Every structure is written in structure tokens, then in C-alpha cells.
């Protein structure tokens, strides 16, 4: 198994942009995002922003808003400078709020996981196909289309109160810190061994 990163984009009008998929690899491929670990970095984030600019500029040439998490690669000097030069306003979610504020978390990701599991089960049953780097994009294409629909995309903006603006959607109790569930700690019994438990 290897890590990869899947970055979908939904627009305020309910449409989608071409998603970014980052594969773990050492060789550069101009058609795919490649990283040594399978995660984003400053270079990939900047290329993602350039692609966002190209795709959204085709829709309209007005200033645009990009709402993203606060990953360090989204705050690098080249990223911010490119955004400023191309009239892209960046809004980041506050730390520890994406579970309620990010529409993809609220609507899409659970659906995506369910549809992906169904597609894998179907492939194994009907064709005995296994997932590899070479067929992954082909396998997730129908899953992506079922998940990122106009209806789901609009719902994601609505349930987070961003489009249409609705400050009452995210209530204070949904942002409250996690409550403690453990009241005391029990140490393990003394072990008859040269090793000891460190608490």
C-alpha cells in the first residue's frame, strides 16, 4: 500500500474543477502531481494554485475566493504572491474547525468512501481487478462522478453556512472542545521482566 493525496475542488455555483491527485513517486510526470511521500508540498501547492487560476479564469475573469485549510504549503511566500498577482483571495479555516466548516468533510468524503468500496467490491466480483497506480484514476472516475454532483456540491456550501451566507448553521456547541472521557489512569501491574512500563 502507498499513500496518495486526492484534492477535489467545488465551486460556489455547484460545478467542479479538475481534481488534483498526488502520487508517491520519484520521477516527474507532467500529467500527474508527483511527490516522494505522496503528500503535497510547496511546489505542488503552487502548481495547484496555478491550475485553479487557469480553470476559474476560464469561467470568469473576476477576483476569486479560494477557501482552503491552513496547511503550510498554502501559506508559502510564492503561493501568496501568485494569489495576489492573479486576484485570488485566500481564506483558510481556523485550526480544528474543518470537521464542521469544510463542506467536503460534511458531505462528500463519506459518500466517496462508500461509492469507492462499492466499486472495489464490484470490480473484484466481476473482473478480479486489483487497484494499482496505473488503473487507480480509471477506477475512481465513476466514483468521483457519483460523489461530486451539482446537488452534493451545493449542499456542501449550504451545510457550512458559506453559500448562501448563514451564520446560524455552525452553532457554538458544534465548536466546543472535546470533553474528557477518562477520569483516572490505572498503571499496569509490575511485570516480571527486565523491562518496565514507563508512564
Amino acid at each position: 500500500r502507498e499513500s496518495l493525496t486526492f484534492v477535489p475542488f467545488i465551486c460556489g455555483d455547484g460545478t467542479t474543477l479538475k481534481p488534483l491527485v498526488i502520487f508517491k513517486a520519484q520521477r516527474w510526470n507532467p500529467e500527474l502531481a508527483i511527490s516522494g511521500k505522496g503528500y503535497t508540498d510547496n511546489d505542488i501547492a503552487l502548481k495547484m494554485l496555478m491550475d485553479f487560476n487557469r480553470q476559474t479564469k476560464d469561467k470568469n475573469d473576476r477576483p476569486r475566493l479560494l477557501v482552503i485549510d491552513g496547511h503550510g504549503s498554502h501559506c508559502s511566500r510564492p503561493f501568496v504572491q501568485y494569489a495576489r498577482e492573479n486576484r485570488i483571495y485566500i481564506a483558510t479555516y481556523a485550526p480544528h474547525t474543518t470537521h464542521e466548516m469544510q463542506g467536503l468533510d460534511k458531505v462528500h468524503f463519506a459518500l466517496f468512501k462508500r461509492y469507492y468500496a462499492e466499486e472495489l467490491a464490484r470490480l473484484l466480483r466481476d473482473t478480479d481487478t486489483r487497484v494499482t497506480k496505473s488503473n487507480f484514476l480509471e477506477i475512481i472516475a465513476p466514483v468521483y462522478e457519483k460523489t461530486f454532483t451539482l446537488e452534493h456540491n451545493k449542499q456542501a456550501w449550504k451545510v457550512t453556512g458559506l453559500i448562501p451566507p448563514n451564520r446560524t448553521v455552525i452553532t457554538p456547541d458544534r465548536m466546543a472542545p472535546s470533553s474528557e472521557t477518562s477520569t483516572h489512569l490505572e498503571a499496569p501491574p509490575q511485570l516480571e521482566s527486565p523491562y518496565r512500563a514507563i508512564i
Side-chain angles (χ1 to χ4, degrees):
R1 292 183 180 231
E2 290 187 11
S3 296
L4 65 82
T5 302
F6 176 70
V7 186
F9 295 89
I10 60 171
C11 299
D13 63 1
T15 60
T16 59
L17 301 180
K18 181 176 67 172
L20 172 69
V21 181
I22 304 169
F23 284 95
K24 179 179 179 181
Q26 298 302 323
R27 283 184 305 115
W28 174 252
N29 179 329
E31 297 298 314
L32 301 169
I34 303 293
S35 118
K37 296 184 179 181
Y39 304 112
T40 191
D41 58 27
N42 289 357
D43 291 336
I44 291 173
L46 181 58
K47 288 175 182 162
M48 175 214 58
L49 183 63
M50 291 174 175
D51 192 48
F52 169 85
N53 181 45
R54 183 188 56 74
Q55 290 187 70
T56 56
K57 202 170 189 175
D58 288 347
K59 291 177 80 166
N60 71 64
D61 195 19
R62 297 182 310 210
R64 284 136 301 144
L65 175 67
L66 177 61
V67 184
I68 52 178
D69 65 27
H71 188 270
S73 65
H74 302 151
C75 305
S76 71
R77 182 180 298 264
F79 188 92
V80 173
Q81 184 175 345
Y82 182 87
R84 182 179 294 142
E85 290 168 358
N86 290 278
R87 300 182 307 155
I88 300 170
Y89 295 94
I90 305 293
T92 59
Y93 298 105
H96 312 294
T97 64
T98 56
H99 66 288
E100 291 292 341
M101 299 287 302
Q102 188 179 72
L104 298 174
D105 282 345
K106 298 294 289 179
V107 175
H108 295 87
F109 291 151
L111 289 172
F112 190 89
K113 284 166 70 173
R114 186 178 88 205
Y115 296 148
Y116 181 65
E118 290 171 359
E119 182 66 12
L120 286 183
R122 186 193 68 74
L123 283 169
L124 287 171
R125 182 184 67 244
D126 298 347
T127 66
D128 196 34
T129 300
R130 302 282 192 257
V131 179
T132 65
K133 280 183 181 177
S134 59
N135 69 5
F136 177 75
L137 294 176
E138 184 180 322
I139 290 170
I140 68 163
V143 174
Y144 179 82
E145 289 177 11
K146 283 174 69 174
T147 305
F148 289 86
T149 64
L150 188 70
E151 180 184 341
H152 293 152
N153 297 346
K154 286 187 173 185
Q155 183 67 14
W157 291 110
K158 186 176 181 180
V159 299
T160 57
L162 292 175
I163 301 172
N166 183 351
R167 292 182 181 195
T168 64
V169 169
I170 308 295
T171 58
D173 61 306
R174 286 172 55 189
M175 287 294 148
S178 300
S179 59
E180 291 183 23
T181 55
S182 298
T183 56
H184 65 282
L185 173 69
E186 291 185 27
Q190 195 62 33
L191 303 174
E192 295 296 326
S193 115
Y195 301 101
R196 61 190 177 91
I198 299 174
I199 300 178

